[in-house]
Amino acid sequence: MIDTRDKILDTNSESLDVAAIRRDFPILDEVENGQKVAYLDNGASSQRPEQVINAMLEYYHKYNANIHRGVYRWSEEATRGYEGAHRKVARFINAYSPREVIFTRNTTESLNLVAYAWGRANVREGDEIVSTVIEHHSNLVPWQILAAEKKATLRYIPMTKTGQLDISDLNTIVNEKTKLVAFTHMSNVLGAISPVDAIVKRAKEVGAVVVIDGAQSAPHMPVDVQALGCDFYAFSGHKMLGPTGIGVLWGRRAILEEMPPFITGGDMIRDVTLARSTWNDLPWKFEGGTPSIAEGIGLGAAVDYLSKLGMDKVRQHEIELTAYALEQMAGIPDLTIYGPTDPATRGGIISFNLGDVHPHDLATMLDREAIAVRAGHHCCQPLIELLEATATTRASFYIYNTPEEVDRLVAALHKARKVFHLD
Amino acid sequence: MPGETVRDDLEMEYVLELAAAFDKQMRGHVVQNPDITFEDSNPLCGDKFKVSLKLNEDGEIEDVGFTGRGCAISRASAMVLIDEIQGHSYKDVDEVTRDMLIDELGIEINSAVRLKCAGLALRTVKTGLQKSGYKVTNAEEEDWAETD
Ligand SMILES: Cc1ncc(COP(=O)(O)O)c(C=O)c1O
């Protein structure tokens, strides 16, 4: 795989110019235990480039004010920045209109918005909701609560041995009773990319609404919500170079118009009398209260940054890096790697276990080598159970990661075999 | 930094020894007619311990058993804890703190997540005692101490 390694490093190729990208992320020069930190926990949260940090600083330094209220310049500029970020996000995911882009706090809130606002109004006793066994708790618990509240049945799409969604029984699981199908675009544990087309096609045959959890896909691959054919698509700013505290729910306009609001109060109303209230236009109808203004502006800057790089190139870089990592890691004795093996069908997320070493202990040892990974159940307890593991260690890549960092991970895993007496 | 590496390996070595001792002592060990059983888990990683305690009339802990799953640090600190409390009055459990256990392990822990690992067994025992009406201080306070 020397080829792959060289290709990633070759700045003249079609790939990302990783060296230039790294200069935008001063945090990557931070040193721990005498080494630069190899940040391989992007699945949990990414780093933010100077461009994003500066956009937020500029708001605080030059025009900090609440939006949609003041008629003075600061407030107008803040409103323009915050609303403009909706437009940027709309372009980024090819939404039909920025009105379909709702800013939330994160993926979790976006999915809860669907469960509470759409779910409560549309799911009835005896209906069925479909999720999958590989979901993040955020795309599972809201449906459990909705199903219990409405006396609906929650069914799950299972997983194949190789860690892909098993759609062989799809026509039974998704049936005439199904009102909603919710699944992840990319598994945050296995990296597997879901068979979106097949699931959407079946859901549409039975008239079910489709919710896609895009927390791991929006940051890492080109996403076109119209082409996906879903009805809702949720993701988080902090996993895609943006700040924490800002997330997105995209929804089809016709559905959003029909839906009752979720969080009610200020900013989301048109008229309020003591007897009743009417709702503001989309998307403000779903953005009750003063939103995360600086964070919204920061997300806009993050989307600008990614768009400038090109999401095709982002995806290509991660395919190459993942291929290289899988190849190198295959040579480590006692290492179990979970999930699909073909880099074309997965993202840059690699979950593994080294012998019977507890992932926490392994991650602590890697931390001493200045390698940041995640260890635990990754908020996917049902999936971890299916893998017959108690937890996994997970390395996840992004635009600034390099083959050298993969080499460091691999060397540290070889060393871990000695420390934990596996050899 | 070779010096660093050697120290890390040695540090881990003692924790692994203690964890292995814990596994050996707990394997097949069943506390007969326990007065207290209580299960607690680390919400960050899903690791779980279930403790069983047998106390005599004087409130002395006669037998301690753990089942469940945990990382080396949580098992090693459970081993240290057992040595500290077995044969002692339940009141003495109050004297044991997470920091003491970590001192015994001989490692430095500065991650909030790993601190929870090191404190899991102690938390399980203290909360178990508390829920059964024994007066011990609230172990959950310790979870907040690390934010100071
Ligand atoms: C697939 C998936 N869904 C949902 C989430 C939840 O994201 P957040 O914590 O930003 O709400 C995550 C991230 O942890 C994720 O990876």
Side-chain angles (χ1 to χ4, degrees):
Chain A
M1 284 310 270
I2 289 302
D3 281 0
T4 323
R5 197 175 189 288
D6 288 347
K7 200 162 151 216
I8 303 170
L9 292 175
D10 177 8
T11 50
N12 295 321
S13 81
E14 289 297 293
S15 346
L16 294 180
D17 183 350
V18 176
I21 289 173
R22 289 183 72 90
R23 285 194 287 277
D24 293 330
F25 293 82
I27 196 171
L28 299 176
D29 292 328
E30 288 293 308
V31 170
E32 296 275 340
N33 293 338
Q35 298 190 72
K36 279 189 188 173
V37 176
Y39 187 74
L40 304 180
D41 194 19
N42 295 286
S45 200
S46 72
Q47 298 301 334
R48 300 97 181 80
E50 289 281 81
Q51 287 84 340
V52 168
I53 297 165
N54 286 338
M56 293 171 70
L57 266 183
E58 196 181 327
Y59 162 74
Y60 283 130
H61 283 160
K62 300 198 172 143
Y63 60 101
N64 176 56
N66 210 330
I67 55 163
H68 293 158
R69 322 237 161 133
V71 288
Y72 47 95
R73 193 185 66 77
W74 290 352
S75 177
E76 282 168 3
E77 200 170 326
T79 303
R80 196 157 48 240
Y82 181 74
E83 291 194 353
H86 288 68
R87 182 176 295 286
K88 289 173 182 182
V89 169
R91 288 205 187 105
F92 185 69
I93 57 172
N94 195 31
Y96 180 72
S97 151
R99 295 212 175 273
E100 299 182 329
V101 174
I102 299 159
F103 280 5
T104 61
R105 275 190 307 141
N106 46 40
T107 306
T108 304
E109 186 177 309
S110 297
L111 293 165
N112 273 274
L113 197 165
V114 180
Y116 279 88
W118 189 90
R120 279 179 169 174
N122 291 284
V123 174
R124 293 189 182 77
E125 184 166 352
D127 286 347
E128 295 187 1
I129 300 168
V130 173
S131 183
T132 88
V133 297
I134 68 167
E135 297 310 309
H136 189 283
H137 298 160
S138 294
N139 200 21
L140 185 57
V141 180
W143 311 124
Q144 284 179 339
I145 292 173
L146 176 63
E149 197 176 307
K150 294 291 178 179
K151 299 202 176 67
T153 305
L154 182 55
R155 305 184 69 157
Y156 296 106
I157 299 175
M159 181 181 79
T160 66
K161 287 231 161 12
T162 53
Q164 296 280 9
L165 285 180
D166 179 355
I167 51 172
S168 57
D169 237 359
L170 193 61
N171 288 356
T172 320
I173 298 167
V174 179
N175 59 53
E176 304 299 329
K177 289 187 184 161
T178 309
K179 283 289 170 328
L180 178 142
V181 181
F183 63 97
T184 189
H185 199 179
M186 185 192 290
S187 160
N188 62 308
V189 175
L190 305 171
I193 298 172
S194 299
V196 177
D197 290 349
I199 300 175
V200 170
K201 181 164 171 282
R202 177 59 188 158
K204 290 297 143 194
E205 276 170 12
V206 300
V209 155
V210 176
V211 183
I212 295 184
D213 175 351
Q216 295 297 339
S217 51
H220 299 283
M221 57 199 266
V223 168
D224 177 337
V225 288
Q226 298 190 61
L228 287 173
C230 55
D231 300 293
F232 295 101
Y233 186 88
F235 54 104
S236 297
H238 68 92
K239 294 183 199 283
M240 51 185 287
L241 311 180
T244 52
I246 194 87
V248 176
L249 175 67
W250 169 83
R252 249 177 227 291
R253 184 158 182 176
I255 297 176
L256 294 176
E257 298 279 10
E258 290 296 313
M259 254 163 80
F262 174 39
I263 303 284
T264 58
D267 227 31
M268 51 72 64
I269 42 79
R270 177 174 302 283
D271 271 314
V272 178
T273 66
L274 290 178
R276 77 172 75 84
S277 308
T278 55
W279 317 135
N280 200 342
D281 293 333
L282 290 174
W284 322 121
K285 169 180 157 188
F286 292 104
E287 295 191 15
T290 299
S292 302
I293 302 168
E295 288 75 8
I297 290 168
L299 176 60
V303 163
D304 282 344
Y305 191 93
L306 286 170
S307 303
K308 210 165 139 200
L309 293 178
M311 289 308 290
D312 282 319
K313 286 190 180 178
V314 169
R315 171 78 181 125
Q316 192 53 35
H317 171 72
E318 289 177 24
I319 290 179
E320 287 166 12
L321 203 56
T322 306
Y324 179 67
L326 288 172
E327 180 81 16
Q328 296 301 308
M329 289 168 81
I332 303 171
D334 308 312
L335 192 77
T336 306
I337 297 177
Y338 302 97
T341 48
D342 177 4
T345 64
R346 59 177 294 152
I349 294 171
I350 303 179
S351 274
F352 52 89
N353 264 315
L354 186 66
D356 61 358
V357 179
H358 193 289
H360 262 174
D361 299 322
L362 184 58
T364 295
M365 200 221 111
L366 294 176
D367 173 49
R368 307 231 161 145
E369 306 278 324
I371 300 170
V373 295
R374 172 114 187 247
H377 54 54
H378 317 292
C379 302
C380 288
Q381 283 181 323
L383 170 58
I384 298 294
E385 199 90 1
L386 284 173
L387 297 175
E388 292 174 3
T390 56
T392 74
T393 306
R394 178 185 78 180
S396 50
F397 308 129
Y398 211 6
I399 50 175
Y400 32 68
N401 289 123
T402 64
E404 285 88 349
E405 289 174 323
V406 171
D407 292 344
R408 276 175 56 195
L409 172 66
V410 170
L413 289 173
H414 279 293
K415 179 176 160 189
R417 292 189 63 248
K418 297 209 173 66
V419 173
F420 294 103
H421 308 298
L422 291 175
D423 62 346
Chain B
M1 295 202 292
E4 188 92 6
T5 309
V6 170
R7 202 205 68 213
D8 287 351
D9 293 2
L10 288 177
E11 269 184 5
M12 210 56 212
E13 196 64 31
Y14 185 51
V15 171
L16 291 173
E17 261 174 41
L18 282 169
F22 172 83
D23 293 347
K24 193 162 162 232
Q25 191 162 326
M26 290 301 118
R27 195 172 298 129
H29 180 86
V30 180
V31 177
Q32 300 299 329
N33 306 319
D35 297 290
I36 295 170
T37 56
F38 184 71
E39 184 177 276
D40 206 352
S41 64
N42 184 343
L44 296 171
C45 62
D47 279 353
K48 269 184 201 150
F49 276 145
K50 184 171 174 182
V51 72
S52 304
L53 297 170
K54 177 89 201 143
L55 284 84
N56 64 19
E57 289 107 56
D58 302 329
E60 279 168 12
I61 298 170
E62 287 189 328
D63 197 5
V64 186
F66 277 101
T67 54
R69 63 185 189 216
C71 59
I73 288 181
S74 65
R75 279 146 51 227
S77 74
M79 188 66 247
V80 176
L81 176 66
I82 293 170
D83 285 344
E84 292 282 340
I85 64 174
Q86 188 138 13
H88 289 79
S89 160
Y90 78 89
K91 289 180 189 141
D92 295 342
V93 173
D94 245 356
E95 315 272 301
V96 184
T97 65
R98 184 172 66 188
D99 285 347
M100 280 168 60
L101 298 178
I102 294 171
D103 270 353
E104 279 297 314
L105 300 185
I107 51 171
E108 217 177 282
I109 299 182
N110 35 33
S111 119
V113 177
R114 297 320 308 268
L115 283 171
K116 291 216 175 15
C117 302
L120 179 59
L122 180 61
R123 200 175 91 158
T124 310
V125 169
K126 281 189 178 172
T127 317
L129 282 166
Q130 224 174 15
K131 298 243 166 182
S132 300
Y134 292 89
K135 274 213 155 39
V136 290
T137 47
N138 190 348
E140 291 188 351
E141 293 294 318
E142 241 163 2
D143 281 351
W144 283 100
E146 68 220 30
T147 54
D148 268 349

